[in-house]
Amino acid sequence: RSVEGLEATKINLTGGTITITASDDGINGSDGVSNANANSAAVVVTISGGTIVVNAGGDGVDSNGTLRMTGGTMVVNGPTASNNGALDANGTFTVTGGKLLAAGSSGMVVTPGTGSIGWVSATFGASQPAGTLIHLANSSGTVLFSFRSSKQLQNVVFSLNTITNGQSYRVYTGGSVSGTSTGGMYTGGSISGATLALTVTAGVRTGR
């Protein structure tokens, strides 16, 4: 239990296992001086390794400056209210390695920027209830991500080096999952019996 989970001007997560539950921001890069909407050059949040699971009522991961992910695994169960987002960065946001899944509301969707590896932003036409199974599959039907949401969501951002920007991917609901859960993300998932919900193009920005 916390209000702000991890908060500092510079946050550098390099390994280990971190689980955060916060009523406001899960990880918050802030200099404590600048306006929350300003881009502070002093603020840098870097994830380079480890397994990080965030459950946040506010922004899941928020940097008032630079946000970058170069490795590790991060799963964000973000906000249900549209005035916050699962991911937020006032400066540049890049993902150049690792595995990222960030789920939350659709009001303030932030996606990886220029120089990032492949990513998909999937926004549903209506909020999906807690417990919904979501799968991201390529055009051949191979499942890349499977996720069981812990709360209501309308957007999910996926990033992985096997996703190719510009290519088409499919998002399914239903089906089944197996194996170990990391914050709701599963090592195995099947789209057998699932419903095709969305077809999306990797690297296409939606929302803010």
Side-chain angles (χ1 to χ4, degrees):
R1 183 176 77 185
S2 62
V3 178
E4 301 278 354
L6 296 177
E7 184 173 33
T9 302
K10 296 189 186 302
I11 299 174
N12 188 19
L13 306 180
T14 63
T17 300
I18 300 170
T19 303
I20 298 169
T21 300
S23 59
D24 197 359
D25 296 350
I27 297 173
N28 186 24
S30 171
D31 61 10
V33 177
S34 303
N35 183 291
N37 295 317
N39 178 14
S40 171
V43 176
V44 181
V45 176
T46 303
I47 297 100
S48 59
T51 300
I52 301 150
V53 175
V54 176
N55 190 327
D59 292 329
V61 181
D62 180 10
S63 175
N64 293 346
T66 298
L67 174 59
R68 58 194 180 203
M69 183 172 180
T70 64
T73 297
M74 184 161 68
V75 179
V76 179
N77 290 272
T80 59
S82 61
N83 62 332
N84 285 296
L87 303 165
D88 189 14
N90 294 350
T92 59
F93 170 34
T94 55
V95 180
T96 57
K99 189 173 189 176
L100 171 66
L101 189 159
S105 59
S106 62
M108 297 183 68
V109 175
V110 172
T111 55
T114 302
S116 296
I117 59 174
W119 57 269
V120 165
S121 176
T123 300
F124 296 90
S127 294
Q128 303 298 300
T132 300
L133 281 178
I134 298 169
H135 310 274
L136 177 70
N138 61 22
S139 58
S140 300
T142 301
V143 176
L144 305 179
F145 283 91
S146 292
F147 177 63
R148 186 189 298 275
S149 63
S150 64
K151 50 189 173 179
Q152 174 183 300
L153 64 86
Q154 196 167 358
N155 175 269
V156 187
V157 173
F158 308 91
S159 184
L160 188 66
N161 61 8
T162 55
I163 294 173
T164 302
N165 288 335
Q167 290 191 2
S168 180
Y169 292 83
R170 297 167 184 167
V171 179
Y172 293 83
T173 58
S176 61
V177 290
S178 61
T180 303
S181 169
T182 301
M185 183 177 69
Y186 284 81
T187 56
S190 171
I191 56 175
S192 177
T195 301
L196 177 62
L198 297 165
T199 299
V200 292
T201 301
V204 173
R205 184 182 177 90
T206 62
R208 199 179 86 186

